[in-house]
Amino acid sequence: MSRKRIIAGNWKMNKTPSEAKALCETLIPLVGNDDVEVVFCVPAIDIVPVVEAVKGTNIGVGAENLYIEDSGAYTGEISADMILDAGAKYVIIGHSERREYFKEDDEFLNKKVKKAIEKGLVPILCCGESLEQREKGVTIDWIRLQIKSDLDGVSAADAKKVVIAYEPIWAIGTGKTATSDQAEEVCAAIRACLAEIYDQETADAIRIQYGGSMNASNAAELLSKPNIDGGLIGGASLKADFGQIVNA
Ligand code: 13P
């Protein structure tokens, strides 16, 4: 089963539109690799300039969030149609920062996943445990619960379009990466869970990324694991290191 690797940057709340254009100019020459799907997930206001800047390259663009309705009185939100019309094709859903700071729960995230799929956006669905959960030994149970709830009612055909990002919360922005064995254990458990919900063929088709302090020095080791098909990169996606991760 060959799954195309997907390396995505999550810029989070960094880069103004003009800084975004400059960063694209820095990164474009570093990330040319046809064997890898390269994605820049950027703040909503940066989507248009980034789409423009990466035109003609191998880079896809994604949003960091979307709302579950198509249009209407939802001040401050952006819809799937807006994201698509701006030229982006991916959307991050359920990042732990949104779960924590914006109180997004699995029921709501499930609606976001369905909306993204309905509209033709590729959801990058995040899951991950806290340090407390890891220490209590409930990591796998927790991740299984997240995956099952977030994909509730999603068909096997649609699930194949989803990218799952395993991001242990304790490894995000902390410089403390999961070991490749820890990351592989959870990514394998996610695939087993997908095989249970759907079937092995579907589980084998779904790409699973690791995220959490991934950088130029640990990427190759993490990406050498059989169930890790890519990375979702925060801090290191804002600098030249991102190119090294793409080519790791
Ligand atoms: P860092 O790579 O900065 O740890 O962030 C990971 C992340 O949250 C990507 O979504």
Side-chain angles (χ1 to χ4, degrees), residues 196-217:
E196 255 174 66
I197 305 173
Y198 302 106
D199 51 68
Q200 194 60 48
E201 191 251 331
T202 303
D204 285 340
I206 297 176
R207 292 173 302 170
I208 305 176
Q209 300 172 311
Y210 168 78
S213 298
M214 203 182 210
N215 58 40
S217 28

Side-chain angles (χ1 to χ4, degrees), residues 1-2 11 26 42 49 58 61 88 103 105 115 120 130-131 138 145 185 193 198 203 207 216 228 242 244:
M1 181 76 226
S2 74
W11 290 12
T26 307
V42 305
N58 61 323
V61 180
K103 307 287 173 247
D105 62 15
K115 180 54 72 179
S130 65
L131 185 58
V138 299
L145 188 68
E185 183 194 14
C193 179
Y198 302 106
R207 292 173 302 170
I228 303 179
F242 190 68
Q244 285 169 267

Side-chain angles (χ1 to χ4, degrees), residues 7-26:
I7 304 287
N10 174 7
W11 290 12
K12 307 194 179 184
M13 197 177 75
N14 294 295
K15 304 300 170 189
T16 63
S18 35
E19 289 168 347
K21 274 196 256 178
L23 181 59
C24 289
E25 277 161 33
T26 307

Side-chain angles (χ1 to χ4, degrees), residues 24-245:
C24 289
E25 277 161 33
T26 307
L27 293 180
I28 288 167
L30 308 176
V31 301
N33 183 335
D34 289 336
D35 297 333
V36 180
E37 206 167 309
V38 178
V39 184
F40 294 172
C41 295
V42 305
I45 199 161
D46 293 341
I47 294 175
V48 169
V50 168
V51 165
E52 183 61 33
V54 304
K55 228 171 234 164
T57 73
N58 61 323
I59 301 162
V61 180
E64 298 178 12
N65 188 25
L66 87 167
Y67 194 58
I68 56 173
E69 299 295 342
D70 288 345
S71 63
Y74 304 101
T75 304
E77 294 298 311
I78 61 167
S79 71
D81 289 329
M82 291 171 184
I83 296 168
L84 286 161
D85 189 65
K89 297 192 168 61
Y90 303 78
V91 61
I92 297 176
I93 294 175
H95 192 282
S96 59
E97 288 148 17
R98 294 215 59 89
R99 292 177 189 262
E100 183 182 349
Y101 306 136
F102 304 98
K103 307 287 173 247
E104 296 190 1
D105 62 15
D106 290 309
E107 200 184 323
F108 185 49
L109 295 172
N110 175 244
K111 290 184 182 154
K112 290 193 176 195
V113 170
K114 287 176 172 162
K115 180 54 72 179
I117 293 170
E118 174 201 324
K119 295 290 180 173
L121 281 165
V122 175
I124 300 179
L125 171 64
C126 304
C127 59
E129 83 286 4
S130 65
L131 185 58
E132 194 189 350
Q133 288 171 316
R134 175 156 286 268
E135 284 169 351
K136 276 194 192 146
V138 299
T139 297
I140 305 281
D141 289 342
W142 175 249
I143 302 287
R144 286 171 53 86
L145 188 68
Q146 287 187 317
I147 296 295
K148 287 189 176 182
S149 321
D150 298 344
L151 293 179
D152 187 42
V154 174
S155 71
D158 284 341
K160 288 181 188 174
K161 301 168 189 160
V162 177
V163 175
I164 293 176
Y166 166 55
E167 299 206 311
I169 298 168
W170 48 272
I172 294 176
T174 56
K176 201 170 146 189
T177 325
T179 65
S180 55
D181 287 337
Q182 283 173 325
E184 168 63 15
E185 183 194 14
V186 179
C187 291
I190 292 171
R191 203 172 307 284
C193 179
L194 294 167
E196 255 174 66
I197 305 173
Y198 302 106
D199 51 68
Q200 194 60 48
E201 191 251 331
T202 303
D204 285 340
I206 297 176
R207 292 173 302 170
I208 305 176
Q209 300 172 311
Y210 168 78
S213 298
M214 203 182 210
N215 58 40
S217 28
N218 59 30
E221 165 74 18
L222 286 157
L223 294 168
S224 72
K225 295 293 179 182
N227 285 290
I228 303 179
D229 307 311
L232 184 57
I233 293 103
S237 72
L238 300 170
K239 37 189 190 178
D241 289 51
F242 190 68
Q244 285 169 267
I245 298 173

